[in-house]
Amino acid sequence: MSALKRKRGGNAGGAKAAKKVKFAENGTQKQKTESDQEQKNEYSVPAPVSMGKWKNKERVLVFSSRGINFRTRHLMQDLRTMMPHTKADTKMDRKDKLFVINEVCEMKNCNKCIFFEAKKKQDLYMWISNVPHGPSAKFLVQNIHTLAELKMTGNCLKGSRPLLSFDPKFEKEPHYALLKELFIQIFSTPQYHPKSQPFVDHVFTFTIADNRIWFRNYQIIEEDASLVEIGPRFVLNLIKIFQGSFGGPTLYENPHFQSPNMHRRMIRLATAAKLREKQMVKELQKMKRIEQKEAVTQDVTDDVFATPAEEKPDEIELEPPAPKFAKKKKNKEFKRQRQLNSKKL
């Protein structure tokens, strides 16, 4: 190898600076430098796209509390693989307060955070926060389907930058506009990130339906630019938006939100009401069977069809009825009579 190292920009790092060309008084070139001839024979290597200046240094901390199930763990791992600008940390104890997360983010040098909080080993809550000044939002996560669970046919490059697609409703209401800005800063991979790839081959969609935010991930197929779902998929039910990071004054509270405890209580009350109704019907049937039945002496329906009929006099036939001749005999007699008449004529 040569002692001189060549830079990616195309200029030789250890080469001497090119000499200036000297001109005579009459304007003709006096001598040519050797560096000009060397530059004609060299080939410049263009710099890669990802070697640009990394200006937007967004780092997202993705971790959870203790007590999560396997599906939440796989969802958290899927988010880390899709977002190369994330960092991981150990699970936080449930006894610790949420304000401790700000210190954890400061130690990890992260300015955004996605925190999964599990309660009763069946309810999953997700916090999205801008550390350390806020705002932050709390969601109830529903209908989780991970990458391994879906078994979709699509596939995208690991570390590629995604496109973000938002529902038009995000611009109509102020709390949705605030959430849109939070999602943009958290889920979009910064340009020229060291772990990212200079490709755009998948789309994150955020759709609002039934007062919930539906998250989907689609791959962009190069042949016809159609979309194929990859996963994961989940639904976010907004609970509250806070001014600070993991606390502070409440900016917005969702009036349509129903806690999972209340939802389970309503289901239990509905099933109990059905069972109570069935029991009442059984008791009524039992009471009817026990009651003494009245002995009916006369049937009321006997006189329904008793109508007075007209009395006819009794007639006695003394003579037998006249015989009925068959049609064939009548035809024969008619033919004979015609023949007789014809002979007379």
Side-chain angles (χ1 to χ4, degrees):
M1 292 178 65
S2 60
L4 302 178
K5 293 183 179 179
R6 185 174 60 181
K7 289 186 177 179
R8 287 189 178 274
N11 298 326
K16 295 180 181 180
K19 296 180 181 179
K20 293 182 179 180
V21 180
K22 296 181 180 179
F23 291 91
E25 294 179 356
N26 55 0
T28 59
Q29 187 175 354
K30 190 174 183 180
Q31 64 179 9
K32 292 183 179 180
T33 59
E34 296 178 357
S35 61
D36 293 339
Q37 295 178 357
E38 291 177 357
Q39 286 179 0
K40 291 180 181 178
N41 297 328
E42 289 181 357
Y43 293 97
S44 62
V45 180
V49 181
S50 61
M51 291 298 291
K53 194 172 182 181
W54 181 26
K55 296 180 180 180
N56 181 19
K57 296 189 177 182
E58 294 282 353
R59 298 181 183 89
V60 184
L61 182 65
V62 180
F63 73 116
S64 68
S65 65
R66 296 194 179 275
I68 61 172
N69 54 6
F70 70 97
R71 185 174 278 112
T72 307
R73 187 171 66 253
H74 284 285
L75 174 64
M76 197 163 52
Q77 189 62 34
D78 293 342
L79 290 177
R80 287 173 185 165
T81 54
M82 289 190 305
M83 300 158 61
H85 61 291
T86 58
K87 289 187 177 182
D89 194 22
T90 57
K91 294 180 182 178
M92 196 181 74
D93 195 4
R94 285 181 290 183
K95 295 179 181 178
D96 295 338
K97 294 185 178 180
L98 295 176
F99 293 103
V100 182
I101 301 174
N102 296 326
E103 298 177 3
V104 177
C105 292
E106 188 178 354
M107 288 189 292
K108 289 285 184 178
N109 195 17
C110 296
N111 53 0
K112 298 289 185 297
C113 181
I114 299 178
F115 177 68
F116 291 95
E117 185 181 7
K119 290 184 179 179
K120 294 187 176 181
K121 295 185 178 180
Q122 55 183 346
D123 301 330
L124 179 65
Y125 296 92
M126 185 170 75
W127 287 82
I128 292 178
S129 176
N130 180 23
V131 180
H133 304 294
S136 59
K138 185 180 180 182
F139 301 93
L140 174 68
V141 188
Q142 298 172 334
N143 301 333
I144 302 173
H145 298 281
T146 57
L147 276 169
E149 186 180 352
L150 287 174
K151 296 181 181 179
M152 295 291 184
T153 56
N155 188 15
C156 66
L157 183 67
K158 184 178 179 181
S160 59
R161 301 180 65 225
L163 294 174
L164 299 183
S165 174
F166 290 93
D167 195 275
K169 294 181 182 178
F170 275 97
E171 298 178 358
K172 294 181 180 179
E173 298 185 14
H175 61 280
Y176 282 137
L178 179 61
L179 291 177
K180 179 181 178 181
E181 186 63 29
L182 268 176
F183 290 147
I184 289 173
Q185 294 182 14
I186 290 175
F187 286 96
S188 62
T189 304
Q191 193 176 12
Y192 303 125
H193 191 275
K195 293 183 180 179
S196 67
Q197 299 290 338
F199 300 101
V200 178
D201 59 354
H202 63 290
V203 185
F204 291 162
T205 61
F206 298 90
T207 311
I208 298 174
D210 195 18
N211 298 314
R212 291 170 175 82
I213 300 173
W214 302 66
F215 176 85
R216 296 289 183 270
N217 182 20
Y218 296 96
Q219 180 199 359
I220 304 172
I221 300 177
E222 297 179 359
E223 287 79 7
D224 52 354
S226 61
L227 299 178
V228 176
E229 188 175 358
I230 307 172
R233 54 163 71 169
F234 52 89
V235 180
L236 300 176
N237 192 359
L238 178 63
I239 303 174
K240 283 184 181 182
I241 300 176
F242 300 96
Q243 186 176 356
S245 177
F246 295 98
T250 303
L251 297 178
Y252 176 78
E253 185 175 358
N254 188 8
H256 306 285
F257 174 72
Q258 187 181 26
S259 65
N261 293 331
M262 183 62 69
H263 181 67
R264 286 190 289 267
R265 182 172 177 271
M266 296 297 290
I267 292 174
R268 287 196 300 269
L269 289 174
T271 53
K274 285 183 180 179
L275 291 173
R276 202 179 298 114
E277 187 178 356
K278 285 183 180 179
Q279 193 67 25
M280 288 175 64
V281 172
K282 286 182 180 179
E283 289 179 359
L284 288 173
Q285 290 176 354
K286 192 175 180 181
M287 292 292 292
K288 286 181 180 178
R289 290 172 189 169
I290 294 172
E291 288 178 357
Q292 293 181 357
K293 296 181 180 179
E294 295 180 0
V296 180
T297 56
Q298 186 180 1
D299 192 1
V300 185
T301 59
D302 289 342
D303 300 333
V304 173
F305 299 102
T307 54
E310 296 180 359
E311 295 181 359
K312 294 183 179 180
D314 296 333
E315 294 182 358
I316 299 173
E317 292 184 358
L318 300 176
E319 295 180 359
K324 295 181 179 179
F325 295 101
K327 290 184 178 180
K328 292 181 178 180
K329 291 181 179 180
K330 288 183 178 180
N331 293 336
K332 287 180 181 179
E333 290 178 0
F334 180 72
K335 286 180 180 179
R336 285 176 186 174
Q337 201 168 12
R338 281 183 65 185
Q339 289 176 1
L340 290 171
N341 293 331
S342 61
K343 286 179 181 179
K344 288 178 181 180
L345 294 171

